[in-house]
Amino acid sequence: MRVIAGVHKGRQLKAVPGKSTRPTTDKVKEAIFQRMGPFFDGGSVLDLFAGSGSLGIEALSRGMEFGIFVDKHPKAIHTIDENLRLLKLEDCTEVYRAEASRALQATAERELKFDLLLLDPPYGKVDYEQIIRDSLKLDILNQSAIIYCEHEPAESIPFDQQQFTLVKQDNYGGTIGITILQKN
């Protein structure tokens, strides 16, 4: 696992030990960031279900200025901390061990807003529609914010078409489904 592009291009990242996470492959990461960016002119990213932090780190490498990484598993938090330290990104990031809903609430209480929301949870265990609805209700997304969802290929991510535009919906290798939304 490595950073694909930007200031940290080619740098290796550590994976979370064990089988509790499913890292996004370099091929998929390259394809999705080409659609979402490929590079950003500042902004902030919220990486929920962060695992190793690979997606959020990619966003930072490609120009995001600030990132919050959230996962509920201690091994994931340790790995994220290691990867951020390795790339010297501690000054522009925060890492929290929390449930996604609590993290959304906490960011809203701090009046933080994001340009990119990354959702790559364990398949079949998260209500994407609820998280998207909560992000709107809590007003944590800037205008034109992008939401990236990684999911099972057969799964369809419901969203409010008045609130979001579908940027991309695709399957990769029959094993990964992605949906990219942009806030109207």
Side-chain angles (χ1 to χ4, degrees):
M1 199 169 46
R2 63 188 172 92
V3 180
I4 304 298
V7 296
H8 298 289
K9 179 181 180 176
R11 299 287 301 272
Q12 294 289 51
L13 298 173
K14 295 182 182 218
V16 179
K19 298 187 187 275
S20 62
T21 64
R22 172 194 26 77
T24 302
T25 66
D26 289 351
K27 180 181 174 186
V28 171
K29 200 172 2 174
E30 175 66 20
I32 62 171
F33 275 94
Q34 286 299 328
R35 282 300 269 171
M36 292 189 302
F39 294 94
F40 304 103
D41 186 19
S44 57
V45 57
L46 175 59
D47 191 351
L48 290 179
F49 316 99
S52 67
S54 158
L55 291 174
I57 289 170
E58 188 72 33
L60 291 167
S61 182
R62 291 172 182 251
M64 287 278 169
E65 296 170 317
F66 175 73
I68 293 182
F69 296 79
V70 178
D71 205 292
K72 69 178 186 177
H73 298 289
K75 286 181 181 176
I77 294 301
H78 180 73
T79 303
I80 294 165
D81 281 333
E82 279 188 282
N83 283 331
L84 294 175
R85 211 171 16 260
L86 180 73
L87 299 176
K88 297 181 177 26
L89 291 171
E90 306 99 326
D91 291 345
C92 64
T93 58
E94 297 175 12
V95 181
Y96 297 102
R97 182 174 174 218
E99 294 283 339
S101 59
R102 290 179 58 94
L104 290 174
Q105 186 65 44
T107 59
E109 288 170 7
R110 291 175 58 194
E111 298 181 6
L112 297 175
K113 290 193 177 233
F114 299 93
D115 302 287
L116 179 59
L117 174 58
L118 301 169
L119 304 175
D120 184 8
Y123 291 170
K125 297 195 180 201
V126 170
D127 184 346
Y128 291 90
E129 185 177 19
Q130 185 64 51
I131 291 174
I132 293 168
R133 230 184 356 254
D134 287 349
S135 70
L136 285 172
K137 184 177 82 178
L138 295 168
D139 194 29
I140 64 162
L141 298 175
N142 283 322
Q143 192 62 35
S144 300
I146 296 170
I147 298 178
Y148 167 77
C149 305
E150 192 168 310
H151 50 83
E152 292 185 76
E155 191 172 6
S156 177
I157 305 299
F159 63 94
D160 181 343
Q161 294 181 0
Q162 292 181 353
Q163 297 286 338
F164 294 97
T165 300
L166 179 64
V167 174
K168 183 176 182 74
Q169 195 162 38
D170 208 349
N171 290 332
Y172 288 92
T175 58
I176 297 171
I178 66 153
T179 301
I180 301 173
L181 305 172
Q182 186 161 26
K183 187 176 177 215
N184 294 332

